[in-house]
Amino acid sequence: MLSFEEIAEIWDAHAGGLLLILRTHGEFAEDAVQEAFLALARQEQLPESPLAWLVTVARNYVLQQQRSNQRRDVRQRAKELNGPWFAENGSQRMLEAQEAVEALQQLSGDDAEILMMHVWGEMTFEQIAAIVGSSRATVHRRYAAALAELRAKLGGATSALAILVPLLEYSL
């Protein structure tokens, strides 16, 4: 692990410039600088070019946050356009919620996990591939298959559950 003194020295030398570079990407610049230095503190040894390494890590953080916000905005707009996820009637809401849970539980364990990581965990196919030990293409194919299976299971679902499928399709 890097020493506190090494990190403090790199902070003094590069934090200001890193922040200026990241401000070209808009919001999240300050958070990205902090995240990059936290990642640096976890390194076993100093990268060959600390500023280049910090810019790469911080830029990836900013881009990830921007993508996350875009996905969140799309889900929010879909929710506003299509009404509540489940009916307002209490007993009907419970039946629809149970139907959604059952449909997800009927997917194969791995495919359901991939679907949940991508849609609700907002993870990229590359991140999921690293976790499950498959290629990005395989993860994407399994995601698409899980989505098709879920669509088939919810084919006769009420309008509130029908919202689920378009949201999943967007995240492809």
Side-chain angles (χ1 to χ4, degrees), residues 103-146:
L104 288 168
Q105 288 175 339
Q106 290 174 10
L107 297 175
S108 75
D110 292 340
D111 291 349
E113 182 182 38
I114 288 170
L115 187 129
M116 299 300 266
M117 283 191 284
H118 184 66
V119 174
W120 284 279
E122 298 183 344
M123 298 173 71
T124 65
F125 290 124
E126 290 84 8
Q127 291 170 324
I128 298 168
I131 291 170
V132 300
S134 294
S135 69
R136 181 197 179 286
T138 298
V139 168
H140 186 272
R141 182 180 41 77
R142 290 176 60 193
Y143 173 82

Side-chain angles (χ1 to χ4, degrees), residues 12-41:
D12 291 339
H14 300 298
L18 180 59
L19 184 57
L20 287 173
I21 292 167
L22 293 173
R23 284 199 175 141
T24 63
H25 290 283
E27 60 184 328
F28 306 114
E30 289 84 4
D31 290 344
V33 170
Q34 291 178 17
E35 290 295 326
F37 274 93
L38 288 172
L40 179 66

Side-chain angles (χ1 to χ4, degrees), residues 58-103:
R59 184 177 177 278
N60 287 341
Y61 176 84
V62 168
L63 295 174
Q64 180 181 15
Q65 295 305 310
Q66 289 171 343
R67 285 189 301 265
S68 178
N69 278 352
Q70 289 169 345
R71 289 188 300 265
R72 189 176 310 110
D73 290 346
V74 166
R75 286 192 303 269
Q76 183 61 35
R77 281 193 305 274
K79 183 177 179 183
E80 290 168 1
L81 291 174
N82 294 309
W85 281 84
F86 300 107
E88 295 301 319
N89 178 315
S91 62
Q92 181 66 26
R93 179 188 322 159
M94 292 305 293
L95 289 173
E96 291 179 4
Q98 185 61 35
E99 187 178 355
V101 169
E102 288 173 4

